[in-house]
Amino acid sequence: MANTSRPVHRTALLATGLAVLGLLSACGGESGTSGAPRTPDSARASGAAPDAGPSTVTGTGTGTATQPGTTAPAAGTPGDAAGPASASARPDGRCHTGELRVAVGRVDPGAGQRNFPLVLTNTSGRTCTVYGYPGAAFVDASGRQLGPDPERAPGSPQTLTLTPGGSAWAGLSFSSPEISGARTATPAALLVTPPDERQSIKVRWTAGEVPVGGNASSVSVTAVEPGTGP
């Protein structure tokens, strides 16, 4: 009687080996489809979108930078910051020293007084205004002031509008030294400061001695008036 148990045992062993090989092949294919090593979740999240650059928009002017997708405040709204340029564009009607020429008119003697008109002329190309009293000071050749500051004569100041070439005048008065007996000096120049200004205009003085000391040495100046003098 033939022995059939050996072929059956071999067949069983072969089937078992093929099953093991199939299982190993399946495991190897799963690892092969994964490719490169897996990237951590945090790194993939940070690289998911391209770099958008800075979060603000920088301009060349003085405007406020805004986030992308937002709208900057319109000019004139509370969010609009006024810069130096807008401040300098505000109208200023006052005549400035650099826009004026000063001349000393002829003496007008009377009742022991010497009176001179100080004429301010608008030399600019715009219309401007003057109001109040000019400043005045006699100085010697070295620029040293002679005598006290003039006093302001009583008056009613008014705003005067000077078109280009227009003039206003103020009166400068003092007692004649020959009559008053005041101590005198001969100035080299008269410094005139237009109303509300700080810079002066130097005018050569050719009218002789002026009082600089003593009881009757006061000099007075009036508020500006229209025209070029009495």
Side-chain angles (χ1 to χ4, degrees):
M1 181 175 178
N3 187 3
T4 60
S5 60
R6 187 178 302 275
V8 171
H9 179 67
R10 289 177 180 173
T11 301
L13 291 175
L14 180 60
T16 301
L18 291 175
V20 171
L21 289 175
L23 180 61
L24 293 175
S25 298
C27 292
E30 181 181 354
S31 63
T33 57
S34 64
R38 297 180 64 183
T39 305
D41 291 341
S42 60
R44 285 187 302 171
S46 63
D51 185 8
S55 61
T56 58
V57 178
T58 303
T60 57
T62 58
T64 302
T66 60
Q67 294 287 343
T70 63
T71 303
T77 64
D80 183 40
S86 61
S88 63
R90 296 171 185 166
D92 181 2
R94 189 175 78 246
C95 297
H96 299 295
T97 299
E99 299 174 308
L100 297 170
R101 181 180 69 247
V102 175
V104 179
R106 291 187 177 184
V107 62
D108 179 23
Q113 290 286 112
R114 304 187 70 185
N115 309 299
F116 299 86
L118 306 180
V119 183
L120 288 71
T121 302
N122 180 9
T123 60
S124 73
R126 72 180 183 104
T127 297
C128 57
T129 61
V130 290
Y131 171 86
Y133 295 81
F138 294 110
V139 295
D140 60 17
S142 65
R144 182 174 61 91
Q145 182 171 336
L146 302 174
D149 292 334
E151 300 174 353
R152 291 184 173 184
S156 300
Q158 57 182 314
T159 299
L160 305 179
T161 300
L162 303 183
T163 58
S167 298
W169 71 282
L172 180 74
S173 302
F174 52 85
S175 298
S176 300
E178 296 85 354
I179 299 175
S180 69
R183 182 166 55 87
T184 65
T186 302
L190 175 67
L191 299 183
V192 178
T193 306
D196 296 321
E197 290 291 298
R198 293 184 178 274
Q199 293 183 327
S200 301
I201 301 173
K202 181 185 286 187
V203 183
R204 191 164 65 95
W205 182 260
T206 59
E209 294 181 332
V210 300
V212 295
N215 294 333
S217 60
S218 61
V219 178
S220 65
V221 63
T222 68
V224 291
E225 301 180 45
T228 57

